[in-house]
PDB file of all heavy atoms in Angstrom:
ATOM      1  N   TYR A  26      14.447  -9.927   8.461  1.00  0.00           N
ATOM      2  CA  TYR A  26      15.610  -9.052   8.660  1.00  0.00           C
ATOM      3  C   TYR A  26      15.716  -8.644  10.133  1.00  0.00           C
ATOM      4  O   TYR A  26      14.714  -8.355  10.792  1.00  0.00           O
ATOM      5  CB  TYR A  26      15.484  -7.793   7.795  1.00  0.00           C
ATOM      6  CG  TYR A  26      16.746  -6.953   7.783  1.00  0.00           C
ATOM      7  CD1 TYR A  26      17.786  -7.230   6.916  1.00  0.00           C
ATOM      8  CD2 TYR A  26      16.887  -5.879   8.678  1.00  0.00           C
ATOM      9  CE1 TYR A  26      18.950  -6.467   6.912  1.00  0.00           C
ATOM     10  CE2 TYR A  26      18.041  -5.111   8.689  1.00  0.00           C
ATOM     11  CZ  TYR A  26      19.074  -5.410   7.791  1.00  0.00           C
ATOM     12  OH  TYR A  26      20.215  -4.660   7.806  1.00  0.00           O
ATOM     13  N   ASP A  27      16.929  -8.626  10.654  1.00  0.00           N
ATOM     14  CA  ASP A  27      17.173  -8.231  12.041  1.00  0.00           C
ATOM     15  C   ASP A  27      17.428  -6.724  12.099  1.00  0.00           C
ATOM     16  O   ASP A  27      18.477  -6.239  11.674  1.00  0.00           O
ATOM     17  CB  ASP A  27      18.395  -8.988  12.575  1.00  0.00           C
ATOM     18  CG  ASP A  27      18.686  -8.637  14.037  1.00  0.00           C
ATOM     19  OD1 ASP A  27      17.846  -7.959  14.670  1.00  0.00           O
ATOM     20  OD2 ASP A  27      19.751  -9.042  14.530  1.00  0.00           O
ATOM     21  N   PHE A  28      16.467  -5.992  12.631  1.00  0.00           N
ATOM     22  CA  PHE A  28      16.589  -4.548  12.736  1.00  0.00           C
ATOM     23  C   PHE A  28      17.214  -4.104  14.062  1.00  0.00           C
ATOM     24  O   PHE A  28      17.190  -2.915  14.389  1.00  0.00           O
ATOM     25  CB  PHE A  28      15.207  -3.896  12.586  1.00  0.00           C
ATOM     26  CG  PHE A  28      14.695  -3.908  11.171  1.00  0.00           C
ATOM     27  CD1 PHE A  28      13.873  -4.931  10.733  1.00  0.00           C
ATOM     28  CD2 PHE A  28      15.040  -2.904  10.287  1.00  0.00           C
ATOM     29  CE1 PHE A  28      13.393  -4.952   9.438  1.00  0.00           C
ATOM     30  CE2 PHE A  28      14.576  -2.910   8.985  1.00  0.00           C
ATOM     31  CZ  PHE A  28      13.743  -3.943   8.549  1.00  0.00           C
ATOM     32  N   GLY A  29      17.753  -5.034  14.821  1.00  0.00           N
ATOM     33  CA  GLY A  29      18.456  -4.684  16.038  1.00  0.00           C
ATOM     34  C   GLY A  29      17.532  -4.077  17.080  1.00  0.00           C
ATOM     35  O   GLY A  29      16.466  -4.613  17.385  1.00  0.00           O
ATOM     36  N   ARG A  30      17.935  -2.954  17.643  1.00  0.00           N
ATOM     37  CA  ARG A  30      17.191  -2.317  18.727  1.00  0.00           C
ATOM     38  C   ARG A  30      15.835  -1.775  18.295  1.00  0.00           C
ATOM     39  O   ARG A  30      14.997  -1.445  19.124  1.00  0.00           O
ATOM     40  CB  ARG A  30      18.003  -1.179  19.331  1.00  0.00           C
ATOM     41  CG  ARG A  30      18.405  -0.097  18.336  1.00  0.00           C
ATOM     42  CD  ARG A  30      19.139   1.010  19.048  1.00  0.00           C
ATOM     43  NE  ARG A  30      19.653   1.999  18.110  1.00  0.00           N
ATOM     44  CZ  ARG A  30      19.955   3.243  18.449  1.00  0.00           C
ATOM     45  NH1 ARG A  30      19.775   3.639  19.704  1.00  0.00           N
ATOM     46  NH2 ARG A  30      20.432   4.086  17.551  1.00  0.00           N
ATOM     47  N   LEU A  31      15.600  -1.698  16.956  1.00  0.00           N
ATOM     48  CA  LEU A  31      14.293  -1.229  16.475  1.00  0.00           C
ATOM     49  C   LEU A  31      13.225  -2.300  16.647  1.00  0.00           C
ATOM     50  O   LEU A  31      12.026  -2.011  16.604  1.00  0.00           O
ATOM     51  CB  LEU A  31      14.367  -0.840  14.997  1.00  0.00           C
ATOM     52  CG  LEU A  31      15.257   0.353  14.635  1.00  0.00           C
ATOM     53  CD1 LEU A  31      15.171   0.629  13.140  1.00  0.00           C
ATOM     54  CD2 LEU A  31      14.854   1.591  15.419  1.00  0.00           C
ATOM     55  N   GLY A  32      13.666  -3.548  16.822  1.00  0.00           N
ATOM     56  CA  GLY A  32      12.698  -4.634  16.918  1.00  0.00           C
ATOM     57  C   GLY A  32      12.119  -4.979  15.568  1.00  0.00           C
ATOM     58  O   GLY A  32      12.774  -4.833  14.532  1.00  0.00           O
ATOM     59  N   GLN A  33      10.890  -5.423  15.544  1.00  0.00           N
ATOM     60  CA  GLN A  33      10.242  -5.802  14.291  1.00  0.00           C
ATOM     61  C   GLN A  33       9.704  -4.555  13.583  1.00  0.00           C
ATOM     62  O   GLN A  33       8.924  -3.790  14.157  1.00  0.00           O
ATOM     63  CB  GLN A  33       9.096  -6.775  14.556  1.00  0.00           C
ATOM     64  CG  GLN A  33       8.452  -7.325  13.291  1.00  0.00           C
ATOM     65  CD  GLN A  33       9.418  -8.206  12.509  1.00  0.00           C
ATOM     66  OE1 GLN A  33      10.058  -9.090  13.065  1.00  0.00           O
ATOM     67  NE2 GLN A  33       9.535  -7.952  11.225  1.00  0.00           N
ATOM     68  N   VAL A  34      10.118  -4.357  12.335  1.00  0.00           N
ATOM     69  CA  VAL A  34       9.614  -3.261  11.502  1.00  0.00           C
ATOM     70  C   VAL A  34       8.745  -3.870  10.416  1.00  0.00           C
ATOM     71  O   VAL A  34       9.153  -4.821   9.731  1.00  0.00           O
ATOM     72  CB  VAL A  34      10.759  -2.441  10.869  1.00  0.00           C
ATOM     73  CG1 VAL A  34      10.190  -1.327   9.997  1.00  0.00           C
ATOM     74  CG2 VAL A  34      11.658  -1.856  11.954  1.00  0.00           C
ATOM     75  N   THR A  35       7.545  -3.342  10.269  1.00  0.00           N
ATOM     76  CA  THR A  35       6.603  -3.907   9.291  1.00  0.00           C
ATOM     77  C   THR A  35       6.209  -2.863   8.254  1.00  0.00           C
ATOM     78  O   THR A  35       6.440  -1.665   8.420  1.00  0.00           O
ATOM     79  CB  THR A  35       5.335  -4.430   9.986  1.00  0.00           C
ATOM     80  OG1 THR A  35       4.689  -3.337  10.654  1.00  0.00           O
ATOM     81  CG2 THR A  35       5.682  -5.520  10.982  1.00  0.00           C
ATOM     82  N   LEU A  36       5.575  -3.359   7.208  1.00  0.00           N
ATOM     83  CA  LEU A  36       5.128  -2.501   6.114  1.00  0.00           C
ATOM     84  C   LEU A  36       3.650  -2.729   5.835  1.00  0.00           C
ATOM     85  O   LEU A  36       3.141  -3.840   5.998  1.00  0.00           O
ATOM     86  CB  LEU A  36       5.906  -2.811   4.820  1.00  0.00           C
ATOM     87  CG  LEU A  36       7.427  -2.712   4.863  1.00  0.00           C
ATOM     88  CD1 LEU A  36       8.010  -3.160   3.515  1.00  0.00           C
ATOM     89  CD2 LEU A  36       7.873  -1.297   5.178  1.00  0.00           C
ATOM     90  N   SER A  37       2.978  -1.688   5.364  1.00  0.00           N
ATOM     91  CA  SER A  37       1.633  -1.817   4.798  1.00  0.00           C
ATOM     92  C   SER A  37       1.765  -1.635   3.288  1.00  0.00           C
ATOM     93  O   SER A  37       2.445  -0.713   2.826  1.00  0.00           O
ATOM     94  CB  SER A  37       0.693  -0.747   5.374  1.00  0.00           C
ATOM     95  OG  SER A  37       0.518  -0.932   6.759  1.00  0.00           O
ATOM     96  N   VAL A  38       1.102  -2.528   2.550  1.00  0.00           N
ATOM     97  CA  VAL A  38       1.259  -2.526   1.092  1.00  0.00           C
ATOM     98  C   VAL A  38      -0.112  -2.468   0.423  1.00  0.00           C
ATOM     99  O   VAL A  38      -1.005  -3.272   0.740  1.00  0.00           O
ATOM    100  CB  VAL A  38       2.019  -3.779   0.603  1.00  0.00           C
ATOM    101  CG1 VAL A  38       2.206  -3.722  -0.911  1.00  0.00           C
ATOM    102  CG2 VAL A  38       3.370  -3.892   1.310  1.00  0.00           C
ATOM    103  N   GLY A  39      -0.270  -1.528  -0.514  1.00  0.00           N
ATOM    104  CA  GLY A  39      -1.460  -1.464  -1.356  1.00  0.00           C
ATOM    105  C   GLY A  39      -1.100  -1.854  -2.765  1.00  0.00           C
ATOM    106  O   GLY A  39       0.005  -1.555  -3.242  1.00  0.00           O
ATOM    107  N   ALA A  40      -2.019  -2.542  -3.445  1.00  0.00           N
ATOM    108  CA  ALA A  40      -1.733  -3.039  -4.793  1.00  0.00           C
ATOM    109  C   ALA A  40      -2.931  -2.821  -5.712  1.00  0.00           C
ATOM    110  O   ALA A  40      -4.084  -2.941  -5.276  1.00  0.00           O
ATOM    111  CB  ALA A  40      -1.372  -4.527  -4.747  1.00  0.00           C
ATOM    112  N   THR A  41      -2.642  -2.518  -6.968  1.00  0.00           N
ATOM    113  CA  THR A  41      -3.710  -2.412  -7.971  1.00  0.00           C
ATOM    114  C   THR A  41      -3.122  -2.632  -9.351  1.00  0.00           C
ATOM    115  O   THR A  41      -1.921  -2.415  -9.578  1.00  0.00           O
ATOM    116  CB  THR A  41      -4.416  -1.043  -7.907  1.00  0.00           C
ATOM    117  OG1 THR A  41      -5.626  -1.097  -8.671  1.00  0.00           O
ATOM    118  CG2 THR A  41      -3.537   0.072  -8.482  1.00  0.00           C
ATOM    119  N   ILE A  42      -4.001  -3.055 -10.257  1.00  0.00           N
ATOM    120  CA  ILE A  42      -3.643  -3.251 -11.663  1.00  0.00           C
ATOM    121  C   ILE A  42      -4.357  -2.183 -12.490  1.00  0.00           C
ATOM    122  O   ILE A  42      -5.490  -1.795 -12.190  1.00  0.00           O
ATOM    123  CB  ILE A  42      -4.056  -4.658 -12.147  1.00  0.00           C
ATOM    124  CG1 ILE A  42      -3.231  -5.733 -11.424  1.00  0.00           C
ATOM    125  CG2 ILE A  42      -3.886  -4.809 -13.650  1.00  0.00           C
ATOM    126  CD1 ILE A  42      -1.768  -5.763 -11.824  1.00  0.00           C
ATOM    127  N   ASN A  43      -3.700  -1.701 -13.534  1.00  0.00           N
ATOM    128  CA  ASN A  43      -4.335  -0.664 -14.360  1.00  0.00           C
ATOM    129  C   ASN A  43      -5.596  -1.180 -15.043  1.00  0.00           C
ATOM    130  O   ASN A  43      -5.722  -2.374 -15.345  1.00  0.00           O
ATOM    131  CB  ASN A  43      -3.357  -0.147 -15.410  1.00  0.00           C
ATOM    132  CG  ASN A  43      -3.109  -1.154 -16.526  1.00  0.00           C
ATOM    133  OD1 ASN A  43      -2.558  -2.223 -16.289  1.00  0.00           O
ATOM    134  ND2 ASN A  43      -3.509  -0.809 -17.729  1.00  0.00           N
ATOM    135  N   ARG A  44      -6.521  -0.282 -15.295  1.00  0.00           N
ATOM    136  CA  ARG A  44      -7.757  -0.580 -15.999  1.00  0.00           C
ATOM    137  C   ARG A  44      -7.858   0.303 -17.234  1.00  0.00           C
ATOM    138  O   ARG A  44      -7.223   1.360 -17.300  1.00  0.00           O
ATOM    139  CB  ARG A  44      -8.960  -0.360 -15.076  1.00  0.00           C
ATOM    140  CG  ARG A  44      -8.913  -1.236 -13.824  1.00  0.00           C
ATOM    141  CD  ARG A  44      -9.961  -0.825 -12.803  1.00  0.00           C
ATOM    142  NE  ARG A  44      -9.852  -1.602 -11.563  1.00  0.00           N
ATOM    143  CZ  ARG A  44     -10.550  -1.356 -10.467  1.00  0.00           C
ATOM    144  NH1 ARG A  44     -11.427  -0.349 -10.444  1.00  0.00           N
ATOM    145  NH2 ARG A  44     -10.379  -2.116  -9.386  1.00  0.00           N
ATOM    146  N   VAL A  45      -8.702  -0.101 -18.166  1.00  0.00           N
ATOM    147  CA  VAL A  45      -8.793   0.602 -19.451  1.00  0.00           C
ATOM    148  C   VAL A  45      -9.074   2.094 -19.312  1.00  0.00           C
ATOM    149  O   VAL A  45      -8.414   2.917 -19.945  1.00  0.00           O
ATOM    150  CB  VAL A  45      -9.854  -0.063 -20.363  1.00  0.00           C
ATOM    151  CG1 VAL A  45     -10.054   0.753 -21.636  1.00  0.00           C
ATOM    152  CG2 VAL A  45      -9.436  -1.499 -20.704  1.00  0.00           C
ATOM    153  N   PRO A  46     -10.042   2.512 -18.466  1.00  0.00           N
ATOM    154  CA  PRO A  46     -10.339   3.946 -18.403  1.00  0.00           C
ATOM    155  C   PRO A  46      -9.382   4.742 -17.517  1.00  0.00           C
ATOM    156  O   PRO A  46      -9.585   5.943 -17.321  1.00  0.00           O
ATOM    157  CB  PRO A  46     -11.758   3.983 -17.829  1.00  0.00           C
ATOM    158  CG  PRO A  46     -11.840   2.757 -16.979  1.00  0.00           C
ATOM    159  CD  PRO A  46     -10.982   1.729 -17.647  1.00  0.00           C
ATOM    160  N   ASP A  47      -8.335   4.105 -16.963  1.00  0.00           N
ATOM    161  CA  ASP A  47      -7.469   4.779 -15.997  1.00  0.00           C
ATOM    162  C   ASP A  47      -6.724   5.965 -16.596  1.00  0.00           C
ATOM    163  O   ASP A  47      -6.326   5.959 -17.773  1.00  0.00           O
ATOM    164  CB  ASP A  47      -6.430   3.791 -15.443  1.00  0.00           C
ATOM    165  CG  ASP A  47      -6.909   3.118 -14.166  1.00  0.00           C
ATOM    166  OD1 ASP A  47      -7.729   3.726 -13.457  1.00  0.00           O
ATOM    167  OD2 ASP A  47      -6.452   1.999 -13.886  1.00  0.00           O
ATOM    168  N   ASN A  48      -6.506   6.968 -15.754  1.00  0.00           N
ATOM    169  CA  ASN A  48      -5.509   8.001 -16.032  1.00  0.00           C
ATOM    170  C   ASN A  48      -4.566   8.026 -14.835  1.00  0.00           C
ATOM    171  O   ASN A  48      -4.701   7.220 -13.910  1.00  0.00           O
ATOM    172  CB  ASN A  48      -6.158   9.371 -16.271  1.00  0.00           C
ATOM    173  CG  ASN A  48      -7.060   9.802 -15.118  1.00  0.00           C
ATOM    174  OD1 ASN A  48      -6.755   9.578 -13.949  1.00  0.00           O
ATOM    175  ND2 ASN A  48      -8.191  10.408 -15.455  1.00  0.00           N
ATOM    176  N   ASP A  49      -3.597   8.935 -14.842  1.00  0.00           N
ATOM    177  CA  ASP A  49      -2.598   8.932 -13.785  1.00  0.00           C
ATOM    178  C   ASP A  49      -3.199   9.237 -12.413  1.00  0.00           C
ATOM    179  O   ASP A  49      -2.682   8.776 -11.389  1.00  0.00           O
ATOM    180  CB  ASP A  49      -1.484   9.932 -14.114  1.00  0.00           C
ATOM    181  CG  ASP A  49      -2.018  11.329 -14.388  1.00  0.00           C
ATOM    182  OD1 ASP A  49      -3.065  11.439 -15.041  1.00  0.00           O
ATOM    183  OD2 ASP A  49      -1.390  12.311 -13.954  1.00  0.00           O
ATOM    184  N   ILE A  50      -4.288   9.971 -12.371  1.00  0.00           N
ATOM    185  CA  ILE A  50      -4.916  10.307 -11.086  1.00  0.00           C
ATOM    186  C   ILE A  50      -5.731   9.140 -10.543  1.00  0.00           C
ATOM    187  O   ILE A  50      -5.638   8.782  -9.362  1.00  0.00           O
ATOM    188  CB  ILE A  50      -5.806  11.558 -11.237  1.00  0.00           C
ATOM    189  CG1 ILE A  50      -4.946  12.770 -11.621  1.00  0.00           C
ATOM    190  CG2 ILE A  50      -6.575  11.826  -9.945  1.00  0.00           C
ATOM    191  CD1 ILE A  50      -5.734  14.013 -11.922  1.00  0.00           C
ATOM    192  N   SER A  51      -6.523   8.508 -11.407  1.00  0.00           N
ATOM    193  CA  SER A  51      -7.416   7.441 -10.946  1.00  0.00           C
ATOM    194  C   SER A  51      -6.649   6.228 -10.436  1.00  0.00           C
ATOM    195  O   SER A  51      -7.011   5.626  -9.414  1.00  0.00           O
ATOM    196  CB  SER A  51      -8.367   7.022 -12.078  1.00  0.00           C
ATOM    197  OG  SER A  51      -7.650   6.464 -13.169  1.00  0.00           O
ATOM    198  N   ILE A  52      -5.567   5.860 -11.117  1.00  0.00           N
ATOM    199  CA  ILE A  52      -4.833   4.667 -10.684  1.00  0.00           C
ATOM    200  C   ILE A  52      -4.090   4.931  -9.374  1.00  0.00           C
ATOM    201  O   ILE A  52      -3.999   4.046  -8.509  1.00  0.00           O
ATOM    202  CB  ILE A  52      -3.862   4.190 -11.804  1.00  0.00           C
ATOM    203  CG1 ILE A  52      -3.324   2.787 -11.447  1.00  0.00           C
ATOM    204  CG2 ILE A  52      -2.740   5.170 -12.041  1.00  0.00           C
ATOM    205  CD1 ILE A  52      -2.541   2.148 -12.573  1.00  0.00           C
ATOM    206  N   VAL A  53      -3.599   6.160  -9.187  1.00  0.00           N
ATOM    207  CA  VAL A  53      -2.933   6.504  -7.931  1.00  0.00           C
ATOM    208  C   VAL A  53      -3.939   6.535  -6.783  1.00  0.00           C
ATOM    209  O   VAL A  53      -3.670   6.034  -5.680  1.00  0.00           O
ATOM    210  CB  VAL A  53      -2.195   7.862  -8.071  1.00  0.00           C
ATOM    211  CG1 VAL A  53      -1.738   8.368  -6.694  1.00  0.00           C
ATOM    212  CG2 VAL A  53      -0.992   7.716  -8.987  1.00  0.00           C
ATOM    213  N   ASN A  54      -5.103   7.103  -7.018  1.00  0.00           N
ATOM    214  CA  ASN A  54      -6.136   7.139  -5.973  1.00  0.00           C
ATOM    215  C   ASN A  54      -6.537   5.726  -5.551  1.00  0.00           C
ATOM    216  O   ASN A  54      -6.765   5.451  -4.365  1.00  0.00           O
ATOM    217  CB  ASN A  54      -7.360   7.909  -6.465  1.00  0.00           C
ATOM    218  CG  ASN A  54      -7.119   9.407  -6.523  1.00  0.00           C
ATOM    219  OD1 ASN A  54      -6.209   9.919  -5.862  1.00  0.00           O
ATOM    220  ND2 ASN A  54      -7.917  10.117  -7.294  1.00  0.00           N
ATOM    221  N   ARG A  55      -6.603   4.823  -6.518  1.00  0.00           N
ATOM    222  CA  ARG A  55      -7.033   3.450  -6.206  1.00  0.00           C
ATOM    223  C   ARG A  55      -5.984   2.706  -5.377  1.00  0.00           C
ATOM    224  O   ARG A  55      -6.321   1.991  -4.427  1.00  0.00           O
ATOM    225  CB  ARG A  55      -7.330   2.701  -7.501  1.00  0.00           C
ATOM    226  CG  ARG A  55      -8.081   1.392  -7.253  1.00  0.00           C
ATOM    227  CD  ARG A  55      -8.695   0.825  -8.509  1.00  0.00           C
ATOM    228  NE  ARG A  55      -7.729   0.507  -9.534  1.00  0.00           N
ATOM    229  CZ  ARG A  55      -7.581   1.185 -10.669  1.00  0.00           C
ATOM    230  NH1 ARG A  55      -8.345   2.244 -10.934  1.00  0.00           N
ATOM    231  NH2 ARG A  55      -6.669   0.828 -11.557  1.00  0.00           N
ATOM    232  N   VAL A  56      -4.724   2.893  -5.735  1.00  0.00           N
ATOM    233  CA  VAL A  56      -3.685   2.193  -4.968  1.00  0.00           C
ATOM    234  C   VAL A  56      -3.549   2.794  -3.573  1.00  0.00           C
ATOM    235  O   VAL A  56      -3.232   2.085  -2.602  1.00  0.00           O
ATOM    236  CB  VAL A  56      -2.339   2.214  -5.736  1.00  0.00           C
ATOM    237  CG1 VAL A  56      -1.620   3.551  -5.600  1.00  0.00           C
ATOM    238  CG2 VAL A  56      -1.434   1.074  -5.268  1.00  0.00           C
ATOM    239  N   LYS A  57      -3.846   4.088  -3.424  1.00  0.00           N
ATOM    240  CA  LYS A  57      -3.857   4.705  -2.086  1.00  0.00           C
ATOM    241  C   LYS A  57      -4.997   4.151  -1.234  1.00  0.00           C
ATOM    242  O   LYS A  57      -4.843   3.957  -0.015  1.00  0.00           O
ATOM    243  CB  LYS A  57      -3.990   6.227  -2.217  1.00  0.00           C
ATOM    244  CG  LYS A  57      -2.702   6.935  -2.612  1.00  0.00           C
ATOM    245  CD  LYS A  57      -2.921   8.441  -2.606  1.00  0.00           C
ATOM    246  CE  LYS A  57      -1.615   9.183  -2.877  1.00  0.00           C
ATOM    247  NZ  LYS A  57      -1.829  10.661  -2.867  1.00  0.00           N
ATOM    248  N   GLN A  58      -6.125   3.898  -1.863  1.00  0.00           N
ATOM    249  CA  GLN A  58      -7.249   3.287  -1.139  1.00  0.00           C
ATOM    250  C   GLN A  58      -6.875   1.891  -0.651  1.00  0.00           C
ATOM    251  O   GLN A  58      -7.239   1.481   0.468  1.00  0.00           O
ATOM    252  CB  GLN A  58      -8.480   3.225  -2.041  1.00  0.00           C
ATOM    253  CG  GLN A  58      -9.103   4.577  -2.343  1.00  0.00           C
ATOM    254  CD  GLN A  58     -10.213   4.486  -3.375  1.00  0.00           C
ATOM    255  OE1 GLN A  58     -10.626   3.390  -3.771  1.00  0.00           O
ATOM    256  NE2 GLN A  58     -10.717   5.634  -3.810  1.00  0.00           N
ATOM    257  N   ALA A  59      -6.161   1.149  -1.483  1.00  0.00           N
ATOM    258  CA  ALA A  59      -5.705  -0.187  -1.083  1.00  0.00           C
ATOM    259  C   ALA A  59      -4.740  -0.091   0.095  1.00  0.00           C
ATOM    260  O   ALA A  59      -4.804  -0.904   1.037  1.00  0.00           O
ATOM    261  CB  ALA A  59      -5.041  -0.886  -2.266  1.00  0.00           C
ATOM    262  N   LEU A  60      -3.852   0.895   0.070  1.00  0.00           N
ATOM    263  CA  LEU A  60      -2.927   1.098   1.190  1.00  0.00           C
ATOM    264  C   LEU A  60      -3.690   1.448   2.467  1.00  0.00           C
ATOM    265  O   LEU A  60      -3.356   0.943   3.546  1.00  0.00           O
ATOM    266  CB  LEU A  60      -1.928   2.208   0.844  1.00  0.00           C
ATOM    267  CG  LEU A  60      -0.973   2.625   1.960  1.00  0.00           C
ATOM    268  CD1 LEU A  60      -0.045   1.474   2.328  1.00  0.00           C
ATOM    269  CD2 LEU A  60      -0.161   3.851   1.553  1.00  0.00           C
ATOM    270  N   LEU A  61      -4.704   2.279   2.340  1.00  0.00           N
ATOM    271  CA  LEU A  61      -5.509   2.665   3.504  1.00  0.00           C
ATOM    272  C   LEU A  61      -6.172   1.437   4.133  1.00  0.00           C
ATOM    273  O   LEU A  61      -6.224   1.306   5.361  1.00  0.00           O
ATOM    274  CB  LEU A  61      -6.553   3.696   3.089  1.00  0.00           C
ATOM    275  CG  LEU A  61      -7.461   4.233   4.204  1.00  0.00           C
ATOM    276  CD1 LEU A  61      -6.635   4.921   5.291  1.00  0.00           C
ATOM    277  CD2 LEU A  61      -8.503   5.197   3.624  1.00  0.00           C
ATOM    278  N   LYS A  62      -6.654   0.520   3.298  1.00  0.00           N
ATOM    279  CA  LYS A  62      -7.252  -0.724   3.807  1.00  0.00           C
ATOM    280  C   LYS A  62      -6.228  -1.540   4.595  1.00  0.00           C
ATOM    281  O   LYS A  62      -6.534  -2.085   5.660  1.00  0.00           O
ATOM    282  CB  LYS A  62      -7.799  -1.560   2.648  1.00  0.00           C
ATOM    283  CG  LYS A  62      -9.093  -1.032   2.052  1.00  0.00           C
ATOM    284  CD  LYS A  62      -9.536  -1.896   0.885  1.00  0.00           C
ATOM    285  CE  LYS A  62      -9.799  -3.331   1.304  1.00  0.00           C
ATOM    286  NZ  LYS A  62     -10.274  -4.173   0.175  1.00  0.00           N
ATOM    287  N   ALA A  63      -4.984  -1.582   4.068  1.00  0.00           N
ATOM    288  CA  ALA A  63      -3.937  -2.342   4.754  1.00  0.00           C
ATOM    289  C   ALA A  63      -3.620  -1.729   6.109  1.00  0.00           C
ATOM    290  O   ALA A  63      -3.457  -2.441   7.112  1.00  0.00           O
ATOM    291  CB  ALA A  63      -2.684  -2.394   3.877  1.00  0.00           C
ATOM    292  N   LYS A  64      -3.584  -0.413   6.181  1.00  0.00           N
ATOM    293  CA  LYS A  64      -3.293   0.270   7.447  1.00  0.00           C
ATOM    294  C   LYS A  64      -4.444   0.100   8.440  1.00  0.00           C
ATOM    295  O   LYS A  64      -4.231  -0.077   9.643  1.00  0.00           O
ATOM    296  CB  LYS A  64      -3.023   1.751   7.183  1.00  0.00           C
ATOM    297  CG  LYS A  64      -1.721   2.002   6.420  1.00  0.00           C
ATOM    298  CD  LYS A  64      -1.621   3.422   5.889  1.00  0.00           C
ATOM    299  CE  LYS A  64      -1.546   4.422   7.019  1.00  0.00           C
ATOM    300  NZ  LYS A  64      -1.368   5.805   6.515  1.00  0.00           N
ATOM    301  N   GLN A  65      -5.684   0.141   7.935  1.00  0.00           N
ATOM    302  CA  GLN A  65      -6.838  -0.025   8.811  1.00  0.00           C
ATOM    303  C   GLN A  65      -6.916  -1.442   9.394  1.00  0.00           C
ATOM    304  O   GLN A  65      -7.487  -1.639  10.469  1.00  0.00           O
ATOM    305  CB  GLN A  65      -8.141   0.288   8.034  1.00  0.00           C
ATOM    306  CG  GLN A  65      -8.301   1.755   7.728  1.00  0.00           C
ATOM    307  CD  GLN A  65      -9.469   2.033   6.803  1.00  0.00           C
ATOM    308  OE1 GLN A  65      -9.961   1.110   6.117  1.00  0.00           O
ATOM    309  NE2 GLN A  65      -9.911   3.289   6.742  1.00  0.00           N
ATOM    310  N   ASP A  66      -6.332  -2.388   8.670  1.00  0.00           N
ATOM    311  CA  ASP A  66      -6.292  -3.777   9.165  1.00  0.00           C
ATOM    312  C   ASP A  66      -5.100  -4.033  10.082  1.00  0.00           C
ATOM    313  O   ASP A  66      -4.794  -5.193  10.387  1.00  0.00           O
ATOM    314  CB  ASP A  66      -6.282  -4.750   7.989  1.00  0.00           C
ATOM    315  CG  ASP A  66      -7.619  -4.875   7.310  1.00  0.00           C
ATOM    316  OD1 ASP A  66      -8.596  -4.275   7.823  1.00  0.00           O
ATOM    317  OD2 ASP A  66      -7.724  -5.536   6.267  1.00  0.00           O
ATOM    318  N   GLY A  67      -4.411  -2.985  10.454  1.00  0.00           N
ATOM    319  CA  GLY A  67      -3.328  -3.138  11.425  1.00  0.00           C
ATOM    320  C   GLY A  67      -1.934  -3.159  10.828  1.00  0.00           C
ATOM    321  O   GLY A  67      -0.942  -3.306  11.548  1.00  0.00           O
ATOM    322  N   GLY A  68      -1.810  -3.024   9.516  1.00  0.00           N
ATOM    323  CA  GLY A  68      -0.506  -3.026   8.868  1.00  0.00           C
ATOM    324  C   GLY A  68       0.065  -4.419   8.696  1.00  0.00           C
ATOM    325  O   GLY A  68      -0.596  -5.422   8.993  1.00  0.00           O
ATOM    326  N   ALA A  69       1.303  -4.475   8.211  1.00  0.00           N
ATOM    327  CA  ALA A  69       2.007  -5.755   7.987  1.00  0.00           C
ATOM    328  C   ALA A  69       1.201  -6.682   7.088  1.00  0.00           C
ATOM    329  O   ALA A  69       1.146  -7.902   7.308  1.00  0.00           O
ATOM    330  CB  ALA A  69       2.321  -6.435   9.320  1.00  0.00           C
ATOM    331  N   CYS A  70       0.536  -6.110   6.079  1.00  0.00           N
ATOM    332  CA  CYS A  70      -0.257  -6.928   5.159  1.00  0.00           C
ATOM    333  C   CYS A  70      -0.326  -6.267   3.790  1.00  0.00           C
ATOM    334  O   CYS A  70       0.071  -5.117   3.606  1.00  0.00           O
ATOM    335  CB  CYS A  70      -1.663  -7.141   5.710  1.00  0.00           C
ATOM    336  SG  CYS A  70      -2.613  -5.615   5.915  1.00  0.00           S
ATOM    337  N   VAL A  71      -0.840  -7.042   2.821  1.00  0.00           N
ATOM    338  CA  VAL A  71      -1.026  -6.558   1.443  1.00  0.00           C
ATOM    339  C   VAL A  71      -2.509  -6.554   1.144  1.00  0.00           C
ATOM    340  O   VAL A  71      -3.190  -7.561   1.308  1.00  0.00           O
ATOM    341  CB  VAL A  71      -0.291  -7.465   0.427  1.00  0.00           C
ATOM    342  CG1 VAL A  71      -0.537  -6.974  -1.002  1.00  0.00           C
ATOM    343  CG2 VAL A  71       1.206  -7.518   0.720  1.00  0.00           C
TER     344      VAL A  71
END
């Protein structure tokens, strides 16, 4: 996508699949950890 004067805009993406013992807190915490890994690797990745 051409963002014009903004130049290249990138995203960091975290991903996870639900597990049997998950509740709403545990699955959110896990996907946030995945996002943190993507940001620590410089972004623009999954």
